[in-house]
Every structure is written in C-alpha cells, then in structure tokens.
Amino acid sequence: MSSNIEIKHIEKSKIESVDFNNLPFGSVFSDHMLVCDYKDGKWQTPVIEPYAPISLDPSAKIFHYGQSIFEGMKAYKDAEGNTLLFRPLDNCKRLNKSAERLVIPQIPEDVFMDGLKALLKLDEAWIPKNDGSSLYIRPFMFASGNGFHASPANAYKLIICTAPSGAYFAGKVKVLIEEKYARAANGGVGFAKAGGNYAAQFYPTQLAIEKGYNQVIWTDDNTHEYIEEAGAMNIFIRINDTLITSPTSDRILDGITRKSVIQIAEDMNIDVEVRKISVSEVIAAAQSGSLKEMFGAGTAAVISPIAGFGYQGTDYDLPELDKPFAGTLKKAITDIQTNKAEDPYGWRVVVK
Amino acid sequence: MSSNIEIKHIEKSKIESVDFNNLPFGSVFSDHMLVCDYKDGKWQTPVIEPYAPISLDPSAKIFHYGQSIFEGMKAYKDAEGNTLLFRPLDNCKRLNKSAERLVIPQIPEDVFMDGLKALLKLDEAWIPKNDGSSLYIRPFMFASGNGFHASPANAYKLIICTAPSGAYFAGKVKVLIEEKYARAANGGVGFAKAGGNYAAQFYPTQLAIEKGYNQVIWTDDNTHEYIEEAGAMNIFIRINDTLITSPTSDRILDGITRKSVIQIAEDMNIDVEVRKISVSEVIAAAQSGSLKEMFGAGTAAVISPIAGFGYQGTDYDLPELDKPFAGTLKKAITDIQTNKAEDPYGWRVVVK
C-alpha cells in the first residue's frame, strides 16, 4: 500500500452508539472519511480524517453548475474476518468515465484504491457482519472551485465516506413505466453517475409514488417505447426462460451488478439477450402469460424483484414463482461477494 | 418591507479592496449574503449575514443527487442614485418553477423579494455605477439535508449572493451548432435552471472551444435538426428583416431577456416569429445571403452578437451591419434597465 496518505485519527469512536442489528440504509456514518483535493492542476496528498462537515465558499461551483459524480460500492466481512470488496476497480474506472464527461479531473487508480483500502482498514470495525447488511461505500467528486462563471471549476474534491447499512428496499417493488417524463437525452449524461441525473428523476418518481408505485421504469425520451433503466437500477425482464436487458448506451448506466448478473446467468446456461426491449413486447408477454419476472439490479439493492408494473392506467401483476431467476442470481452474486462461494471470475478483492 | 429578517453585520467591509474600474464577472463578492433555511417542513426566518463559507455534512444531498437550482439577476444604479432591478418577480417565479421540477420547496415570493431588497439596501455601495457594469445577483437553492438514499432531501437552503461584475463576454462570439451531444431530453429538466444542466454542457463546450468556438448552439437530441438554445443564452436568428427564435418547451429555458427582446422588437415593428427553426433553414439563409444576424440573449450577457458559426466542418461568417438589431435591442433593453429611457412595460423596479 502506498504510504502517501496522511491519517488524522478521530479522538473517540462513535461506534458504541450504533445498533448494528437495526441499520438503516446510508444514514449512519463511520468514524473517518478520505478527502483528496485537486488544485493547482493536480491531485494533492489524500488525507483520512474524522467524518465532519465540509466548508465551501457560497460561490463553489457544486452549488451552481452541478459538477458532481459518485459511485456506490459495498464492503463485506467473510466468516474468517476478511474485508471484501466487489470489483472495486470497475467503480474507479466508471468514476473516471463520469469524470471525463463532467469535465472533472480523473483520479489515478492507485490513489483511489490505496485510499479506499486504508480507509477500510482504519474503520474495519464498522463493517457489519449480519447477513444482508454491508458497509456501503460512497466515493464522490465535486467542483469546489469558486465563481459564478458557467464553466468548469479549477478545484475539486474526491471524498470517500462509508455507512454501515441494512437493505435498500424492503421486499418487492411495484414500478410504473414512464410515458411522459424522461431521464436522459441522446448525447447527454445518462451513462454517467452524475448528481443531476438523480435530481431530475425525483419529481416523476414522486408522482409515481403518489399513484402507489415505488419506482419509475424509464423509457427513451423520443418515443417512450423502449425500456431503459430504473434510475437507481438496471432492469432485467424474463420472458419464458429468456432474460432480457437493454444494451448500455449514452443514456443507460453501465451497471456493475448488471454485467455481473449477465455473466453469472450465462454461466448458469440461462438464455440472456442484451437488446432493445419495447414496452409493447412486455405488455404482450404479460397478457399472454409469458412474462415471468422483472427485477432491478444495482449495488445498493443488489437484485430487487418487481411484484408488478403499471402502464397507461393498467396494472400488471407478475406471477409468484417457486424458483425465480431473481432469487437464484441474487444468491449467486451475494455468495461470491461474501465468500460463501468460489469466485471463478476474480471479482472479489480482499483488503489487506 | 417585512421586518422578519435577521441582520448580522460584517465587522469591516471589504469594499476598499475592490477596483470597480476593472471588475471581472462573478468572482468578487459583496460583504453580505442572505441565507434562508428550510427544515421541519417550513422556511425559517431569513438571515442576512457576512459572506462566508457554508458548512455541510459530507452526506448532504447536494453533493450526491444534484438537487440545485439558481437564478441570475442584476441590480443597477441610475443617475439619481436609485437602485434598480429588472423584472425581479419573474426570476422568483422561475426559481419556483425550477424548484417544483427538482422537488425543492418553493420560496414564498414576499420572502424572496423582501430578502433581496434588504440585502441590496445593506450592500448598496457594492452596486457599480460604470456603464456596462452591474451588481450580478445569484439566488440559489440546494439540498442541505443528509443521507445516501436517492430521494429528495428534508432540508434546503436558499442563498442570495451578489457580485459587482463587468461584462460576461468581451466582443462577439463564434458558435458551433452541435451535431452529437445534447443539452436536454424531452420530458427532462432543460426548462429549469438546474445545476446539472450546466455541468452536462461543459464537455461538449470544451470540445467546441478546442476547435476555436466560444459556445455551443444546442439542437434537439433526437434529430439535431432544430435549433434550441445556447445553454447560457436563448438564441435569435435574423433572416432578412425577420427575427426568429425557438418556442420555449420542456427543453428550453423561458429566458427573461428573451421575452423582453421579443416584446421590445415587436413594439419597434420588427417582424418576430416564435417558431421552430431548422439548421438547414439557417444554412440555406447563410448561403443565399439572407442570414443577417444571430445573437444570444440572457441576463449575464444581455445581448451577445454572434460573429459566425460552424456546422459540419464548415464555418459561416455573418455580415457586419451598420445598424444591427442586436445593437438596437441591447440599447433599448439596457436603457430601460438603467433608467435612461421610459419603461412602458413596468419592468423596472426601484428598491426602496
């Protein structure tokens, strides 16, 4: 590990105050955070310091021009007490892909990985051991440079915070296929984990929640005829025994859980099709009975089974299956993540 | 004026350190700012306090989910020493329209207007008197509530800062008509002054700057055939003696300078058409010689004449006219703003 990290220890840990048997999602924070500043044209020495408020000038561009990106990751403990990460370099690479599109300077992979590992070692006691819980990791980067000119900032911060967390969703979710609003433009930033992509979804999601749904399934902004993603998750649709998901594009996030699900499903000899899927195909399948399952895939929820969906004022229920793909795939992926199963892919990384 | 504003005065003004004859745009800040917090389901008492850094939890949703909106306004001094605003209530109404789309609580108009006026009275000495300079006003609202759950925050801040400023652009600009990237989706947040809309433009704009242009002219994300706006400005195109601008939509900002230009031009008996305008129509007009002018309209630059544009690898120059509409309209609007002309519209507001 690089020695080039400054560490400022907390005076007294807060860990005694946390009930690890009743963890919410992402609202209890560990003792420390990693902060790395970009200024004068380069990334400075990363500092691990007590989790504490950040101070910014009111003209900092994060407040005005939305230059912000993030990642979601999880750390687990296995039975031997090892700290495990899942495909962490993929998160770093995606963070840098988002950074490029948002004109935020890219973070060197070794700075990111060494800083993350040092943070996890220092706050190791914060990693939950209960099944279904994990240490949610939130790396984020934003414009800290000042001024009201609508142009990229000259200073940025990378921060990595961690939060011991329980499940993101409790149980199955009911979704609404969107017909009016859209998440992403062709040639826009939908593929990036940009902050603005999330705020843009809140209003249509709120309308869907008022109608009794949990989440929106986004469709393309031009025709609203093709299924894209769920905003916080990619979407998989099972018709008969074929699992279908939309191809990634400049509008759709290249989800790490998504691509892991595709790989595992293929290796289980499930027929996987990565192709455009139209709303009318889904409706026809629901009507004929060939629509067996829908589920979301993402780091926070891992795999989130969908109970049913609404479209054009009609609700469609999905069948209760004995052995749904969702359950089989969720077990396979979480077993790899938590070292309960072999990892033939080399996805699991032990933090040493 | 409402007395319900708390005022904390600065100990010593910084104004002596400012060279009002050499003002940059939006990077010198006045002594005070207005801060109003939304928490426990309601807006709290606004506080005018010394301009100083803001402290936020690292999990504050502004850093992660892009819930941020802003406005741009200007205050002027007239020859009699009155402090003047231009259509300020329109900015407040648009701020609230943006707020609704981004699920940020709307600010009561009297809180906004009374707070703004109190701030301008306190920092009256910061309003530049030189021609072409003004006090740029930046109201902004953002999610200050905490947590990594991708949902609207439970706390927000409205802040109004001011910055004595010179011109936004120096001279004419050269623009590139965009063929690949897009600013806004149908059913998206393009009509709102959302932070994320600006960050999304930086990368394509940087590519345009590298090719020798100053700004991008956005086209629709589906066909790239229709002119939309310039991101920081609305666009006007003069073909022969007709002034054409795109209609507002959910993708295009309802600019206050834009609608003022339309009104003034119509009252000057200029033929104004608010309609979709295709790139091919502009190219054909450029080739036939009927394309006389293009200019941007927005608060920061007021009216920004365009010297020429690039499209599909070809550059098109615009003619130098003796009496361009851009100059006539800019004079008319700034004369109203600065009380050098009558204001038949009731747009000018004196701060008392």
Side-chain angles (χ1 to χ4, degrees):
Chain A
M1 183 173 296
S2 163
S3 58
N4 195 23
I5 298 172
E6 188 187 343
I7 299 185
K8 298 177 183 171
H9 291 265
I10 200 162
E11 285 188 24
K12 187 179 178 332
S13 174
K14 300 167 296 187
I15 200 165
E16 298 298 331
S17 68
V18 177
D19 179 1
F20 278 79
N21 293 312
N22 288 292
L23 288 170
F25 184 88
S27 56
V28 170
F29 308 104
S30 312
D31 283 333
H32 297 89
M33 62 184 186
L34 179 119
V35 180
C36 192
D37 279 297
Y38 181 94
K39 59 181 181 183
D40 303 328
K42 62 173 195 279
W43 288 103
Q44 310 294 310
T45 302
V47 182
I48 293 178
E49 57 188 49
Y51 184 92
I54 307 162
S55 179
L56 291 167
D57 195 82
S59 77
K61 293 200 178 188
I62 175 66
F63 297 123
H64 306 274
Y65 302 124
Q67 262 189 301
S68 73
I69 55 174
F70 70 94
E71 280 295 320
M73 310 170 71
K74 284 178 174 174
Y76 304 89
K77 277 284 175 191
D78 69 8
E80 286 77 50
N82 295 305
T83 297
L84 307 173
L85 289 167
F86 185 71
R87 312 185 78 171
L89 201 54
D90 289 22
N91 289 97
C92 181
K93 287 181 191 298
R94 190 173 62 187
L95 186 67
N96 279 335
K97 207 172 149 190
S98 298
E100 184 183 21
R101 183 61 177 84
L102 276 291
V103 196
I104 294 173
Q106 297 185 40
I107 185 82
E109 288 178 2
D110 61 336
V111 174
F112 181 91
M113 290 302 300
D114 291 349
L116 174 60
K117 288 176 180 175
L119 179 66
L120 292 176
K121 285 184 73 162
L122 190 61
D123 280 346
E124 191 179 356
W126 288 86
I127 305 172
K129 293 166 192 76
N130 308 11
D131 262 8
S133 293
S134 61
L135 187 72
Y136 183 75
I137 302 165
R138 171 56 60 90
F140 60 107
M141 290 164 84
F142 64 89
S144 54
N146 301 339
F148 293 148
H149 207 285
S151 53
N154 63 1
Y156 296 84
K157 277 182 188 289
L158 162 73
I159 298 182
I160 306 181
C161 297
T162 66
S165 292
Y168 191 84
F169 285 118
K172 287 192 172 185
V173 296
K174 212 178 140 193
V175 298
L176 179 67
I177 297 179
E178 184 61 50
E179 299 165 61
K180 178 180 174 189
Y181 296 100
R183 177 184 170 276
N186 297 299
V189 299
F191 72 90
K193 277 189 91 75
N197 288 342
Y198 292 78
Q201 300 179 71
F202 289 167
Y203 182 72
T205 302
Q206 184 172 275
L207 297 180
I209 288 170
E210 285 166 8
K211 289 179 190 160
Y213 302 94
N214 304 92
Q215 278 229 334
V216 167
I217 303 291
W218 298 102
T219 49
D220 68 287
D221 81 308
N222 186 38
T223 67
H224 294 293
E225 177 56 18
Y226 292 95
I227 301 279
E228 305 226 301
E229 55 153 284
M233 303 187 292
N234 294 104
I235 286 293
F236 286 82
I237 294 166
R238 175 181 171 185
I239 295 179
N240 292 319
D241 284 334
T242 301
L243 200 53
I244 308 162
T245 194
S246 313
T248 55
S249 70
D250 60 4
R251 299 186 310 273
I252 299 181
L253 190 79
D254 183 10
I256 292 163
T257 310
R258 173 188 176 278
K259 66 186 181 185
S260 305
V261 164
I262 292 171
Q263 178 76 59
I264 292 172
E266 283 175 345
D267 292 347
M268 285 177 171
N269 292 315
I270 293 172
D271 183 24
V272 181
E273 292 180 3
V274 178
R275 63 166 170 85
K276 286 176 81 171
I277 178 159
S278 68
V279 180
S280 33
E281 181 180 357
V282 175
I283 300 295
Q287 286 167 341
S288 73
S290 61
L291 182 69
K292 302 298 183 192
E293 286 182 68
M294 289 171 67
F295 57 86
T299 294
V302 190
I303 285 182
S304 183
I306 291 169
F309 67 91
Y311 181 65
Q312 293 188 337
T314 303
D315 276 345
Y316 299 85
D317 289 330
L318 288 162
E320 280 286 345
L321 305 181
D322 276 349
K323 286 194 170 181
F325 285 176
T328 307
L329 290 163
K330 181 170 185 175
K331 184 172 186 316
I333 198 166
T334 54
D335 280 358
I336 291 176
Q337 288 171 329
T338 56
N339 196 16
K340 289 177 185 158
E342 286 300 302
D343 172 18
Y345 310 108
W347 290 339
R348 201 164 54 217
V349 172
V350 180
V351 177
K352 283 175 190 154
Chain B
M1 185 173 297
S2 164
S3 58
N4 195 24
I5 298 172
E6 190 187 340
I7 300 185
K8 297 177 185 171
H9 291 265
I10 199 162
E11 285 187 25
K12 186 178 178 331
S13 175
K14 302 166 295 187
I15 200 163
E16 297 298 332
S17 67
V18 177
D19 178 2
F20 279 78
N21 293 314
N22 289 291
L23 288 170
F25 183 87
S27 55
V28 170
F29 308 104
S30 312
D31 283 332
H32 297 89
M33 63 183 184
L34 179 120
V35 180
C36 191
D37 278 298
Y38 180 93
K39 60 180 180 181
D40 304 330
K42 61 174 195 280
W43 288 104
Q44 310 293 310
T45 302
V47 182
I48 293 177
E49 58 189 48
Y51 183 91
I54 307 162
S55 178
L56 290 167
D57 195 83
S59 77
K61 293 199 179 189
I62 175 66
F63 296 123
H64 306 274
Y65 302 124
Q67 263 188 300
S68 72
I69 55 175
F70 70 94
E71 281 294 321
M73 310 169 71
K74 284 179 174 175
Y76 303 89
K77 279 282 175 193
D78 69 9
E80 286 78 49
N82 295 305
T83 297
L84 306 173
L85 290 167
F86 185 70
R87 310 185 80 171
L89 200 55
D90 288 22
N91 289 96
C92 181
K93 287 181 191 297
R94 190 173 61 186
L95 186 67
N96 280 334
K97 208 172 149 192
S98 299
E100 183 184 22
R101 183 62 177 83
L102 277 291
V103 195
I104 294 172
Q106 297 184 41
I107 186 79
E109 288 177 2
D110 61 336
V111 173
F112 181 92
M113 290 302 299
D114 291 350
L116 173 61
K117 287 177 182 176
L119 180 67
L120 291 177
K121 285 185 72 163
L122 189 62
D123 280 346
E124 190 180 356
W126 288 86
I127 305 171
K129 292 168 193 74
N130 308 11
D131 260 8
S133 294
S134 61
L135 187 72
Y136 183 74
I137 302 166
R138 171 55 60 89
F140 60 108
M141 291 164 83
F142 65 89
S144 54
N146 301 340
F148 293 148
H149 209 286
S151 52
N154 63 1
Y156 296 85
K157 278 182 188 290
L158 162 73
I159 298 181
I160 306 180
C161 297
T162 65
S165 293
Y168 191 84
F169 286 117
K172 287 192 173 186
V173 296
K174 210 176 139 194
V175 298
L176 179 67
I177 298 180
E178 183 60 51
E179 297 166 61
K180 178 180 174 189
Y181 296 100
R183 177 183 170 276
N186 296 298
V189 299
F191 71 89
K193 278 189 91 73
N197 288 341
Y198 293 78
Q201 299 178 72
F202 289 168
Y203 182 71
T205 302
Q206 185 173 274
L207 297 181
I209 288 170
E210 285 166 9
K211 289 179 191 159
Y213 302 94
N214 303 93
Q215 279 230 332
V216 167
I217 302 292
W218 298 103
T219 49
D220 68 288
D221 81 310
N222 186 39
T223 67
H224 294 292
E225 177 56 18
Y226 292 94
I227 302 280
E228 305 226 301
E229 55 154 284
M233 303 187 292
N234 295 104
I235 286 293
F236 285 81
I237 293 165
R238 175 180 171 185
I239 296 180
N240 292 319
D241 286 334
T242 301
L243 198 54
I244 308 163
T245 193
S246 313
T248 56
S249 70
D250 59 5
R251 298 186 312 273
I252 299 180
L253 191 80
D254 183 10
I256 292 164
T257 309
R258 173 187 175 277
K259 65 186 182 185
S260 304
V261 164
I262 292 171
Q263 177 77 58
I264 291 172
E266 284 174 345
D267 292 349
M268 287 177 170
N269 292 316
I270 293 172
D271 182 23
V272 180
E273 293 181 4
V274 178
R275 63 165 170 87
K276 288 175 80 171
I277 178 158
S278 68
V279 179
S280 34
E281 181 179 357
V282 174
I283 300 295
Q287 287 167 341
S288 74
S290 61
L291 182 68
K292 302 297 184 193
E293 285 182 67
M294 290 172 65
F295 58 84
T299 294
V302 189
I303 285 180
S304 182
I306 292 169
F309 68 90
Y311 181 64
Q312 293 186 337
T314 302
D315 277 345
Y316 300 84
D317 288 329
L318 288 163
E320 281 285 345
L321 304 180
D322 277 348
K323 285 193 171 181
F325 284 177
T328 308
L329 290 163
K330 181 170 185 176
K331 183 173 189 313
I333 197 167
T334 53
D335 281 358
I336 291 176
Q337 289 170 330
T338 56
N339 196 16
K340 289 178 186 159
E342 285 301 302
D343 172 17
Y345 310 107
W347 290 340
R348 201 165 53 217
V349 171
V350 180
V351 177
K352 282 173 189 155

